Amino acid sequence: MDITQLSPLVDAYRRAPEEFHATRYWQTYEQQILDELRRIDITRIRSGEYPILGTFGFGDTVYVYHPHEAVWRRAVKKFVHRYVLKDRGILPYRLDLRSLQRMAYHQCELVGELSSAKPVSELEMSTFGGPADQFEIDGRAYSVQFLNFYVRYCFAHRYIRFTGKETVVELGSGSGTQIEVLKRLYPDLTILCFDMPAQLFLCEQYLSNALDSRIVSSRETIDWNDLSKVRPGHIHFLGNWQFPLLERLEYDCFWNAASFGEMEPAIVSNYLHYAMPGAKWVYLMQARHGKETRAKARVEQSTRFDDYDRFLAGFDLVESHDAWTSLGPLSQSGSYFEAIWKRAHS
């Protein structure tokens, strides 16, 4: 993998104002992720072989590997997944892994129908990157993680009613899975992805290989001083420090899942300051009470649901509920919410 594209991104990021630099949470991982890029095989990016990448969504695996977990523990988990769980009904109610995968798909069928969304049967994921949890339904490839992003789309579609001509802005695109879901369902969507250098680089590498889609590379956008060159129907990759360019763009939906919770309230407010003027809708999936303030990877001050609602002055909260995946609640305690706001009088 050619990582020469990364250096200009890192340089531009380091020259950016402090409010666009990694906060306490991501400072824990920032250098580790950059170091890992030197040894990554892009064709194995979703295999779980690079646990640190799981911090921002890469790794369609049954087990979540902790970045600091002992090597022997990861080896045992891989062995159990491959040779024990594969075809044996050792889970409650005699369930096996295949049963859970089919349940996730069936749940998506129901959620899609209730949301008047495009059916999951019109969707399949790319197998690029060696996803460890890959399975097939009627010859189409899926993973449970991929289906989780379909569920998020269904919730948003209940209100936005995507037609395929919209412009969507995502901050913290991570693995790019949400973009993959949206672009496979609506090939003519215009999408702008904003993220930190390493995450942006890997997201672009993945989507360039996973989608037969039109890409505007960060190689081009790094020099943009405005968004007049945005191309309809394309996916654009921009650094998070370029977010102020968004202030003058009229667009349909601002999207952020989980990453706001990893920032302090003042940082979140700053991003929303630039996102709100042009957005018609705002979709958030976040920790209801904020991220940890005592763990090694922690925030200095938690951003909570009430903070988001307060920051989004001029927008009406349309719906909020506990966040769900394709297999059930995202957390049994209801500690994650999913919500959508609409610009008042729009």
Side-chain angles (χ1 to χ4, degrees):
M1 180 174 61
D2 180 11
I3 64 170
T4 57
Q5 182 180 350
L6 184 60
S7 293
L9 292 174
V10 172
D11 291 343
Y13 164 78
R14 288 176 174 165
R15 293 193 303 267
E18 188 69 24
E19 59 264 31
F20 297 107
H21 289 187
T23 54
R24 178 65 178 265
Y25 181 92
W26 277 107
Q27 286 171 2
T28 307
Y29 302 113
E30 187 175 27
Q31 191 57 50
Q32 190 178 352
I33 294 170
L34 289 170
D35 292 342
E36 191 83 341
L37 284 174
R38 297 185 177 90
R39 72 180 192 90
I40 284 175
D41 176 358
I42 191 69
T43 67
R44 303 291 299 162
I45 199 169
R46 298 163 68 195
S47 67
E49 295 173 15
Y50 310 102
I52 187 65
L53 303 188
T55 58
F56 57 99
F58 279 110
D60 294 58
T61 56
V62 176
Y63 285 102
V64 176
Y65 303 121
H66 191 279
H68 304 296
E69 191 171 42
V71 173
W72 71 268
R73 286 185 179 274
R74 295 203 298 269
V76 168
K77 285 183 176 181
K78 288 182 181 179
F79 176 86
V80 171
H81 168 225
R82 184 170 298 174
Y83 299 108
V84 179
L85 285 182
K86 186 76 174 175
D87 298 306
R88 300 187 185 182
I90 66 171
L91 300 173
Y93 307 109
R94 292 186 171 181
L95 292 173
D96 58 16
L97 188 59
R98 177 64 173 166
S99 298
L100 291 174
Q101 292 165 339
R102 293 187 67 85
M103 285 170 58
Y105 180 83
H106 183 57
Q107 169 80 353
C108 287
E109 287 184 308
L110 298 175
V111 170
E113 184 176 351
L114 289 171
S115 304
S116 300
K118 285 201 172 186
V120 68
S121 59
E122 292 185 12
L123 180 67
E124 64 177 316
M125 74 173 189
S126 168
T127 59
F128 181 83
D133 187 35
Q134 178 184 333
F135 59 92
E136 289 191 357
I137 302 289
D138 297 332
R140 299 182 300 274
Y142 301 97
S143 72
V144 169
Q145 175 166 288
F146 184 81
L147 293 175
N148 292 343
F149 284 90
Y150 173 79
V151 171
R152 295 179 193 176
Y153 147 72
C154 289
F155 172 76
H157 179 76
R158 286 168 57 187
Y159 304 100
I160 298 174
R161 298 298 183 184
F162 289 100
T163 65
K165 301 299 182 182
E166 291 82 6
T167 296
V168 177
V169 172
E170 184 174 22
L171 175 66
S173 301
S175 64
T177 307
Q178 190 68 69
I179 295 163
E180 181 181 359
V181 168
L182 291 173
K183 281 295 276 186
R184 286 185 178 277
L185 292 172
Y186 303 99
D188 292 330
L189 281 181
T190 303
I191 298 179
L192 282 69
C193 310
F194 292 85
D195 216 329
M196 294 188 293
Q199 290 87 332
L200 186 74
F201 172 76
L202 286 174
C203 181
E204 180 177 338
Q205 293 295 311
Y206 172 68
L207 290 177
S208 296
N209 284 281
L211 290 175
D212 180 17
S213 191
R214 294 160 287 181
I215 300 292
V216 181
S217 171
S218 59
R219 292 182 187 274
E220 176 180 343
T221 65
I222 194 170
D223 294 322
W224 282 8
N225 295 314
D226 56 51
L227 296 177
S228 61
K229 297 180 182 178
V230 166
R231 301 173 200 167
H234 286 63
I235 304 173
H236 307 73
F237 295 91
L238 300 105
N240 67 302
W241 60 94
Q242 296 176 281
F243 209 68
L245 300 181
L246 192 63
E247 195 172 18
R248 297 182 180 180
L249 180 73
E250 291 287 332
Y251 63 101
D252 297 281
C253 179
F254 172 72
W255 195 291
N256 184 276
S259 65
F260 269 163
E262 296 156 358
M263 307 175 196
E264 285 69 29
I267 303 298
V268 174
S269 177
N270 182 59
Y271 279 116
L272 287 175
H273 165 77
Y274 295 112
M276 288 165 54
K280 297 177 183 176
W281 299 88
V282 172
Y283 168 92
L284 298 180
M285 193 283 290
Q286 311 291 340
R288 186 178 299 279
H289 306 294
K291 282 283 191 178
E292 306 86 354
T293 57
R294 296 181 183 275
K296 182 176 181 181
R298 66 182 188 270
V299 295
E300 298 289 348
Q301 180 183 355
S302 296
T303 305
R304 302 169 182 270
F305 180 86
D306 290 344
D307 293 316
Y308 298 113
D309 205 33
R310 177 166 51 86
F311 295 153
L312 288 166
F315 283 73
D316 296 326
L317 177 62
V318 178
E319 184 174 338
S320 171
H321 64 195
D322 292 347
W324 278 64
T325 71
S326 57
L327 281 172
L330 181 60
S331 62
Q332 294 299 324
S333 65
S335 59
Y336 275 80
F337 74 86
E338 188 174 40
I340 193 158
W341 286 260
K342 184 180 181 182
R343 186 195 294 172
H345 312 300
S346 66

